[in-house]
Each structure stands twice: as structure tokens, then as C-alpha cells.
mmCIF file of all heavy atoms in Angstrom:
data_model
loop_
_atom_site.group_PDB
_atom_site.id
_atom_site.type_symbol
_atom_site.label_atom_id
_atom_site.label_comp_id
_atom_site.label_asym_id
_atom_site.label_seq_id
_atom_site.Cartn_x
_atom_site.Cartn_y
_atom_site.Cartn_z
ATOM 1 N N TYR O 1 0.847 -1.190 0.000
ATOM 2 C CA TYR O 1 0.000 0.000 0.000
ATOM 3 C C TYR O 1 0.890 1.250 0.000
ATOM 4 O O TYR O 1 0.619 2.212 -0.706
ATOM 5 C CB TYR O 1 -0.918 0.001 1.229
ATOM 6 C CG TYR O 1 -1.819 -1.209 1.285
ATOM 7 C CD1 TYR O 1 -1.490 -2.315 2.068
ATOM 8 C CD2 TYR O 1 -3.003 -1.260 0.551
ATOM 9 C CE1 TYR O 1 -2.312 -3.435 2.113
ATOM 10 C CE2 TYR O 1 -3.834 -2.377 0.591
ATOM 11 C CZ TYR O 1 -3.474 -3.456 1.374
ATOM 12 O OH TYR O 1 -4.288 -4.563 1.410
ATOM 13 N N GLY O 2 1.967 1.211 0.765
ATOM 14 C CA GLY O 2 2.898 2.328 0.847
ATOM 15 C C GLY O 2 3.617 2.594 -0.462
ATOM 16 O O GLY O 2 3.829 3.749 -0.840
ATOM 17 N N GLU O 3 4.027 1.530 -1.161
ATOM 18 C CA GLU O 3 4.682 1.692 -2.458
ATOM 19 C C GLU O 3 3.759 2.400 -3.446
ATOM 20 O O GLU O 3 4.185 3.297 -4.163
ATOM 21 C CB GLU O 3 5.106 0.333 -3.031
ATOM 22 C CG GLU O 3 6.333 -0.261 -2.408
ATOM 23 C CD GLU O 3 7.610 0.478 -2.777
ATOM 24 O OE1 GLU O 3 7.702 1.043 -3.885
ATOM 25 O OE2 GLU O 3 8.517 0.500 -1.935
ATOM 26 N N ILE O 4 2.511 1.987 -3.475
ATOM 27 C CA ILE O 4 1.545 2.626 -4.384
ATOM 28 C C ILE O 4 1.345 4.078 -3.976
ATOM 29 O O ILE O 4 1.341 4.979 -4.814
ATOM 30 C CB ILE O 4 0.204 1.865 -4.397
ATOM 31 C CG1 ILE O 4 0.395 0.481 -5.016
ATOM 32 C CG2 ILE O 4 -0.852 2.663 -5.173
ATOM 33 C CD1 ILE O 4 -0.803 -0.422 -4.896
ATOM 34 N N SER O 5 1.207 4.306 -2.685
ATOM 35 C CA SER O 5 1.018 5.659 -2.174
ATOM 36 C C SER O 5 2.150 6.577 -2.616
ATOM 37 O O SER O 5 1.922 7.677 -3.134
ATOM 38 C CB SER O 5 0.925 5.612 -0.644
ATOM 39 O OG SER O 5 0.749 6.886 -0.110
ATOM 40 N N GLN O 6 3.375 6.123 -2.464
ATOM 41 C CA GLN O 6 4.535 6.913 -2.884
ATOM 42 C C GLN O 6 4.563 7.102 -4.396
ATOM 43 O O GLN O 6 4.881 8.183 -4.892
ATOM 44 C CB GLN O 6 5.831 6.246 -2.442
ATOM 45 C CG GLN O 6 6.095 6.377 -0.966
ATOM 46 C CD GLN O 6 7.401 5.708 -0.572
ATOM 47 O OE1 GLN O 6 7.962 4.903 -1.310
ATOM 48 N NE2 GLN O 6 7.883 6.039 0.617
ATOM 49 N N ALA O 7 4.228 6.064 -5.126
ATOM 50 C CA ALA O 7 4.288 6.118 -6.592
ATOM 51 C C ALA O 7 3.355 7.174 -7.175
ATOM 52 O O ALA O 7 3.663 7.774 -8.194
ATOM 53 C CB ALA O 7 3.969 4.750 -7.186
ATOM 54 N N ILE O 8 2.219 7.381 -6.509
ATOM 55 C CA ILE O 8 1.267 8.356 -7.049
ATOM 56 C C ILE O 8 1.279 9.676 -6.272
ATOM 57 O O ILE O 8 0.460 10.557 -6.530
ATOM 58 C CB ILE O 8 -0.160 7.774 -7.150
ATOM 59 C CG1 ILE O 8 -0.726 7.431 -5.780
ATOM 60 C CG2 ILE O 8 -0.177 6.569 -8.070
ATOM 61 C CD1 ILE O 8 -2.196 7.038 -5.825
ATOM 62 N N GLY O 9 2.216 9.798 -5.330
ATOM 63 C CA GLY O 9 2.396 11.064 -4.635
ATOM 64 C C GLY O 9 1.456 11.321 -3.476
ATOM 65 O O GLY O 9 1.178 12.468 -3.148
ATOM 66 N N LEU O 10 0.983 10.269 -2.836
ATOM 67 C CA LEU O 10 0.128 10.413 -1.654
ATOM 68 C C LEU O 10 0.929 10.134 -0.394
ATOM 69 O O LEU O 10 1.993 9.532 -0.453
ATOM 70 C CB LEU O 10 -1.044 9.425 -1.698
ATOM 71 C CG LEU O 10 -2.148 9.694 -2.689
ATOM 72 C CD1 LEU O 10 -3.189 8.596 -2.604
ATOM 73 C CD2 LEU O 10 -2.795 11.038 -2.440
ATOM 74 N N LYS O 11 0.380 10.513 0.735
ATOM 75 C CA LYS O 11 1.038 10.232 2.010
ATOM 76 C C LYS O 11 0.250 9.228 2.841
ATOM 77 O O LYS O 11 0.623 8.943 3.961
ATOM 78 C CB LYS O 11 1.227 11.523 2.794
ATOM 79 C CG LYS O 11 2.186 12.461 2.114
ATOM 80 C CD LYS O 11 2.512 13.643 2.945
ATOM 81 C CE LYS O 11 3.499 14.466 2.160
ATOM 82 N NZ LYS O 11 3.966 15.637 2.747
ATOM 83 N N SER O 12 -0.812 8.677 2.300
ATOM 84 C CA SER O 12 -1.676 7.793 3.069
ATOM 85 C C SER O 12 -1.801 6.403 2.450
ATOM 86 O O SER O 12 -2.461 6.223 1.430
ATOM 87 C CB SER O 12 -3.068 8.411 3.211
ATOM 88 O OG SER O 12 -3.943 7.519 3.860
ATOM 89 N N SER O 13 -1.178 5.427 3.103
ATOM 90 C CA SER O 13 -1.335 4.039 2.653
ATOM 91 C C SER O 13 -2.747 3.543 2.936
ATOM 92 O O SER O 13 -3.263 2.703 2.209
ATOM 93 C CB SER O 13 -0.368 3.105 3.367
ATOM 94 O OG SER O 13 0.829 3.691 3.651
ATOM 95 N N ARG O 14 -3.338 4.045 3.995
ATOM 96 C CA ARG O 14 -4.702 3.626 4.340
ATOM 97 C C ARG O 14 -5.690 4.004 3.247
ATOM 98 O O ARG O 14 -6.626 3.265 2.963
ATOM 99 C CB ARG O 14 -5.139 4.225 5.675
ATOM 100 C CG ARG O 14 -4.419 3.616 6.852
ATOM 101 C CD ARG O 14 -4.920 4.221 8.145
ATOM 102 N NE ARG O 14 -4.151 3.735 9.261
ATOM 103 C CZ ARG O 14 -4.550 2.765 10.076
ATOM 104 N NH1 ARG O 14 -5.712 2.186 9.869
ATOM 105 N NH2 ARG O 14 -3.795 2.379 11.071
ATOM 106 N N LEU O 15 -5.473 5.160 2.635
ATOM 107 C CA LEU O 15 -6.345 5.588 1.550
ATOM 108 C C LEU O 15 -6.226 4.627 0.366
ATOM 109 O O LEU O 15 -7.225 4.323 -0.287
ATOM 110 C CB LEU O 15 -6.018 7.017 1.121
ATOM 111 C CG LEU O 15 -6.881 7.611 0.006
ATOM 112 C CD1 LEU O 15 -8.370 7.564 0.360
ATOM 113 C CD2 LEU O 15 -6.455 9.039 -0.281
ATOM 114 N N ILE O 16 -5.035 4.115 0.133
ATOM 115 C CA ILE O 16 -4.845 3.135 -0.946
ATOM 116 C C ILE O 16 -5.686 1.896 -0.649
ATOM 117 O O ILE O 16 -6.373 1.368 -1.528
ATOM 118 C CB ILE O 16 -3.356 2.751 -1.096
ATOM 119 C CG1 ILE O 16 -2.488 3.980 -1.397
ATOM 120 C CG2 ILE O 16 -3.186 1.672 -2.163
ATOM 121 C CD1 ILE O 16 -2.882 4.766 -2.626
ATOM 122 N N GLY O 17 -5.646 1.429 0.588
ATOM 123 C CA GLY O 17 -6.458 0.277 0.987
ATOM 124 C C GLY O 17 -7.935 0.535 0.786
ATOM 125 O O GLY O 17 -8.676 -0.332 0.309
ATOM 126 N N LYS O 18 -8.384 1.724 1.142
ATOM 127 C CA LYS O 18 -9.795 2.091 0.975
ATOM 128 C C LYS O 18 -10.174 2.065 -0.506
ATOM 129 O O LYS O 18 -11.204 1.514 -0.885
ATOM 130 C CB LYS O 18 -10.039 3.478 1.579
ATOM 131 C CG LYS O 18 -11.406 4.040 1.330
ATOM 132 C CD LYS O 18 -12.487 3.206 1.978
ATOM 133 C CE LYS O 18 -13.846 3.851 1.756
ATOM 134 N NZ LYS O 18 -14.931 2.942 2.086
ATOM 135 N N ILE O 19 -9.320 2.645 -1.328
ATOM 136 C CA ILE O 19 -9.597 2.670 -2.769
ATOM 137 C C ILE O 19 -9.635 1.253 -3.336
ATOM 138 O O ILE O 19 -10.526 0.905 -4.110
ATOM 139 C CB ILE O 19 -8.563 3.545 -3.506
ATOM 140 C CG1 ILE O 19 -8.782 5.016 -3.134
ATOM 141 C CG2 ILE O 19 -8.646 3.346 -5.023
ATOM 142 C CD1 ILE O 19 -7.678 5.946 -3.572
ATOM 143 N N LEU O 20 -8.690 0.417 -2.942
ATOM 144 C CA LEU O 20 -8.674 -0.963 -3.445
ATOM 145 C C LEU O 20 -9.898 -1.743 -2.980
ATOM 146 O O LEU O 20 -10.372 -2.631 -3.688
ATOM 147 C CB LEU O 20 -7.385 -1.666 -3.027
ATOM 148 C CG LEU O 20 -6.117 -1.132 -3.696
ATOM 149 C CD1 LEU O 20 -4.891 -1.843 -3.151
ATOM 150 C CD2 LEU O 20 -6.189 -1.241 -5.204
ATOM 151 N N SER O 21 -10.430 -1.396 -1.816
ATOM 152 C CA SER O 21 -11.630 -2.094 -1.320
ATOM 153 C C SER O 21 -12.855 -1.769 -2.187
ATOM 154 O O SER O 21 -13.845 -2.495 -2.140
ATOM 155 C CB SER O 21 -11.903 -1.738 0.134
ATOM 156 O OG SER O 21 -12.438 -0.427 0.256
ATOM 157 N N LEU O 22 -12.781 -0.711 -2.971
ATOM 158 C CA LEU O 22 -13.885 -0.327 -3.859
ATOM 159 C C LEU O 22 -13.813 -1.008 -5.222
ATOM 160 O O LEU O 22 -14.748 -0.906 -6.013
ATOM 161 C CB LEU O 22 -13.880 1.198 -4.058
ATOM 162 C CG LEU O 22 -14.005 2.046 -2.792
ATOM 163 C CD1 LEU O 22 -13.807 3.522 -3.123
ATOM 164 C CD2 LEU O 22 -15.332 1.808 -2.111
ATOM 165 N N ASN O 23 -12.711 -1.694 -5.493
ATOM 166 C CA ASN O 23 -12.521 -2.351 -6.786
ATOM 167 C C ASN O 23 -13.574 -3.434 -7.024
ATOM 168 O O ASN O 23 -13.812 -4.274 -6.171
ATOM 169 C CB ASN O 23 -11.120 -2.977 -6.838
ATOM 170 C CG ASN O 23 -10.866 -3.733 -8.122
ATOM 171 O OD1 ASN O 23 -11.401 -3.410 -9.170
ATOM 172 N ND2 ASN O 23 -10.028 -4.745 -8.034
ATOM 173 N N THR O 24 -14.177 -3.396 -8.193
ATOM 174 C CA THR O 24 -15.130 -4.449 -8.576
ATOM 175 C C THR O 24 -14.683 -5.172 -9.850
ATOM 176 O O THR O 24 -15.313 -6.128 -10.268
ATOM 177 C CB THR O 24 -16.537 -3.857 -8.809
ATOM 178 O OG1 THR O 24 -16.457 -2.832 -9.800
ATOM 179 C CG2 THR O 24 -17.113 -3.279 -7.517
ATOM 180 N N ASP O 25 -13.597 -4.705 -10.442
ATOM 181 C CA ASP O 25 -13.087 -5.297 -11.688
ATOM 182 C C ASP O 25 -11.865 -6.160 -11.372
ATOM 183 O O ASP O 25 -10.735 -5.798 -11.653
ATOM 184 C CB ASP O 25 -12.725 -4.181 -12.671
ATOM 185 C CG ASP O 25 -12.321 -4.718 -14.032
ATOM 186 O OD1 ASP O 25 -12.364 -5.956 -14.234
ATOM 187 O OD2 ASP O 25 -11.944 -3.903 -14.889
ATOM 188 N N PHE O 26 -12.109 -7.304 -10.768
ATOM 189 C CA PHE O 26 -11.034 -8.156 -10.262
ATOM 190 C C PHE O 26 -10.159 -8.754 -11.355
ATOM 191 O O PHE O 26 -9.004 -9.053 -11.125
ATOM 192 C CB PHE O 26 -11.609 -9.275 -9.387
ATOM 193 C CG PHE O 26 -12.484 -8.750 -8.285
ATOM 194 C CD1 PHE O 26 -13.848 -8.952 -8.308
ATOM 195 C CD2 PHE O 26 -11.932 -8.030 -7.241
ATOM 196 C CE1 PHE O 26 -14.651 -8.462 -7.301
ATOM 197 C CE2 PHE O 26 -12.732 -7.525 -6.238
ATOM 198 C CZ PHE O 26 -14.098 -7.741 -6.267
ATOM 199 N N LYS O 27 -10.709 -8.917 -12.548
ATOM 200 C CA LYS O 27 -9.913 -9.481 -13.642
ATOM 201 C C LYS O 27 -8.894 -8.484 -14.182
ATOM 202 O O LYS O 27 -7.772 -8.838 -14.480
ATOM 203 C CB LYS O 27 -10.827 -9.969 -14.766
ATOM 204 C CG LYS O 27 -11.606 -11.208 -14.387
ATOM 205 C CD LYS O 27 -12.323 -11.794 -15.569
ATOM 206 C CE LYS O 27 -13.158 -12.968 -15.124
ATOM 207 N NZ LYS O 27 -12.812 -14.190 -15.753
ATOM 208 N N SER O 28 -9.278 -7.224 -14.296
ATOM 209 C CA SER O 28 -8.386 -6.206 -14.852
ATOM 210 C C SER O 28 -7.492 -5.544 -13.809
ATOM 211 O O SER O 28 -6.406 -5.080 -14.129
ATOM 212 C CB SER O 28 -9.205 -5.107 -15.540
ATOM 213 O OG SER O 28 -9.909 -5.640 -16.624
ATOM 214 N N ILE O 29 -7.978 -5.481 -12.577
ATOM 215 C CA ILE O 29 -7.240 -4.792 -11.516
ATOM 216 C C ILE O 29 -6.903 -5.806 -10.426
ATOM 217 O O ILE O 29 -7.720 -6.090 -9.548
ATOM 218 C CB ILE O 29 -8.065 -3.625 -10.948
ATOM 219 C CG1 ILE O 29 -8.478 -2.686 -12.081
ATOM 220 C CG2 ILE O 29 -7.271 -2.883 -9.877
ATOM 221 C CD1 ILE O 29 -9.634 -1.790 -11.764
ATOM 222 N N PRO O 30 -5.691 -6.377 -10.484
ATOM 223 C CA PRO O 30 -5.314 -7.456 -9.563
ATOM 224 C C PRO O 30 -4.899 -6.948 -8.179
ATOM 225 O O PRO O 30 -3.744 -7.047 -7.776
ATOM 226 C CB PRO O 30 -4.152 -8.120 -10.289
ATOM 227 C CG PRO O 30 -3.509 -6.998 -11.028
ATOM 228 C CD PRO O 30 -4.630 -6.088 -11.447
ATOM 229 N N CYS O 31 -5.871 -6.407 -7.440
ATOM 230 C CA CYS O 31 -5.540 -5.804 -6.151
ATOM 231 C C CYS O 31 -5.098 -6.839 -5.114
ATOM 232 O O CYS O 31 -4.568 -6.466 -4.067
ATOM 233 C CB CYS O 31 -6.684 -4.950 -5.643
ATOM 234 S SG CYS O 31 -8.248 -5.785 -5.479
ATOM 235 N N TYR O 32 -5.254 -8.122 -5.406
ATOM 236 C CA TYR O 32 -4.764 -9.154 -4.497
ATOM 237 C C TYR O 32 -3.243 -9.121 -4.380
ATOM 238 O O TYR O 32 -2.669 -9.686 -3.448
ATOM 239 C CB TYR O 32 -5.236 -10.547 -4.935
ATOM 240 C CG TYR O 32 -4.633 -11.024 -6.239
ATOM 241 C CD1 TYR O 32 -3.441 -11.749 -6.237
ATOM 242 C CD2 TYR O 32 -5.237 -10.759 -7.447
ATOM 243 C CE1 TYR O 32 -2.871 -12.189 -7.428
ATOM 244 C CE2 TYR O 32 -4.687 -11.188 -8.639
ATOM 245 C CZ TYR O 32 -3.504 -11.894 -8.623
ATOM 246 O OH TYR O 32 -2.936 -12.317 -9.805
ATOM 247 N N LYS O 33 -2.574 -8.432 -5.302
ATOM 248 C CA LYS O 33 -1.107 -8.351 -5.295
ATOM 249 C C LYS O 33 -0.576 -7.295 -4.329
ATOM 250 O O LYS O 33 0.622 -7.084 -4.249
ATOM 251 C CB LYS O 33 -0.585 -8.035 -6.699
ATOM 252 C CG LYS O 33 -0.852 -9.124 -7.711
ATOM 253 C CD LYS O 33 -0.292 -8.721 -9.057
ATOM 254 C CE LYS O 33 -0.527 -9.798 -10.101
ATOM 255 N NZ LYS O 33 0.148 -9.473 -11.360
ATOM 256 N N VAL O 34 -1.454 -6.628 -3.599
ATOM 257 C CA VAL O 34 -1.048 -5.575 -2.676
ATOM 258 C C VAL O 34 -1.118 -6.118 -1.247
ATOM 259 O O VAL O 34 -2.148 -6.619 -0.814
ATOM 260 C CB VAL O 34 -1.935 -4.319 -2.825
ATOM 261 C CG1 VAL O 34 -1.429 -3.201 -1.925
ATOM 262 C CG2 VAL O 34 -1.975 -3.865 -4.283
ATOM 263 N N VAL O 35 0.021 -6.011 -0.552
ATOM 264 C CA VAL O 35 0.134 -6.535 0.817
ATOM 265 C C VAL O 35 0.704 -5.456 1.740
ATOM 266 O O VAL O 35 1.107 -4.387 1.295
ATOM 267 C CB VAL O 35 1.029 -7.801 0.854
ATOM 268 C CG1 VAL O 35 0.435 -8.910 -0.013
ATOM 269 C CG2 VAL O 35 2.455 -7.490 0.409
ATOM 270 N N LYS O 36 0.756 -5.779 3.018
ATOM 271 C CA LYS O 36 1.324 -4.845 3.987
ATOM 272 C C LYS O 36 2.834 -4.722 3.792
ATOM 273 O O LYS O 36 3.472 -5.597 3.209
ATOM 274 C CB LYS O 36 1.041 -5.327 5.407
ATOM 275 C CG LYS O 36 -0.409 -5.217 5.811
ATOM 276 C CD LYS O 36 -0.559 -5.606 7.266
ATOM 277 C CE LYS O 36 -1.960 -5.361 7.762
ATOM 278 N NZ LYS O 36 -2.082 -5.671 9.191
ATOM 279 N N SER O 37 3.404 -3.659 4.340
ATOM 280 C CA SER O 37 4.834 -3.381 4.158
ATOM 281 C C SER O 37 5.744 -4.413 4.821
ATOM 282 O O SER O 37 6.925 -4.477 4.520
ATOM 283 C CB SER O 37 5.179 -1.981 4.683
ATOM 284 O OG SER O 37 4.889 -1.897 6.058
ATOM 285 N N ASN O 38 5.196 -5.252 5.697
ATOM 286 C CA ASN O 38 5.986 -6.318 6.314
ATOM 287 C C ASN O 38 5.792 -7.662 5.609
ATOM 288 O O ASN O 38 6.277 -8.689 6.065
ATOM 289 C CB ASN O 38 5.648 -6.446 7.802
ATOM 290 C CG ASN O 38 4.201 -6.840 8.051
ATOM 291 O OD1 ASN O 38 3.418 -7.030 7.129
ATOM 292 N ND2 ASN O 38 3.842 -6.944 9.314
ATOM 293 N N GLY O 39 5.071 -7.640 4.474
ATOM 294 C CA GLY O 39 4.829 -8.861 3.715
ATOM 295 C C GLY O 39 3.624 -9.646 4.166
ATOM 296 O O GLY O 39 3.313 -10.703 3.624
ATOM 297 N N HIS O 40 2.908 -9.139 5.148
ATOM 298 C CA HIS O 40 1.733 -9.821 5.670
ATOM 299 C C HIS O 40 0.553 -9.642 4.712
ATOM 300 O O HIS O 40 0.301 -8.538 4.236
ATOM 301 C CB HIS O 40 1.383 -9.275 7.060
ATOM 302 C CG HIS O 40 0.506 -10.164 7.851
ATOM 303 N ND1 HIS O 40 1.007 -11.156 8.659
ATOM 304 C CD2 HIS O 40 -0.833 -10.224 7.951
ATOM 305 C CE1 HIS O 40 0.002 -11.793 9.238
ATOM 306 N NE2 HIS O 40 -1.129 -11.239 8.814
#
């Protein structure tokens, strides 16, 4: 979440999680590939 946040110029990893939770296009947007910064 933090990597994505930095890549797009945000300071909130939590916001990335919130946005990914809104995803409904699971085939095109593989949000399952996003994990916590400790690999969890």
C-alpha cells in the first residue's frame, strides 16, 4: 500500500487500501497483489 502511495504522490497508505476495497473489476485490476509493508 505504501509503495503505491509513494508512486502516485500520496502520504496515506490507508487511503490506498480504501480505494482498493472499492474495486469491482477483479480481472483487470489485480488488487490481491497488494500486501502490507511487512509482507503480511
Side-chain angles (χ1 to χ4, degrees):
Y1 301 98
E3 283 289 329
I4 293 171
S5 180
Q6 286 180 344
I8 64 172
L10 288 179
K11 294 187 179 180
S12 175
S13 326
R14 289 182 185 260
L15 181 56
I16 301 303
K18 173 64 177 167
I19 291 169
L20 292 177
S21 75
L22 302 173
N23 177 30
T24 57
D25 186 2
F26 306 110
K27 289 189 184 240
S28 297
I29 305 160
C31 57
Y32 67 90
K33 295 180 179 187
V34 184
V35 299
K36 290 185 173 183
S37 61
N38 63 0
H40 199 88

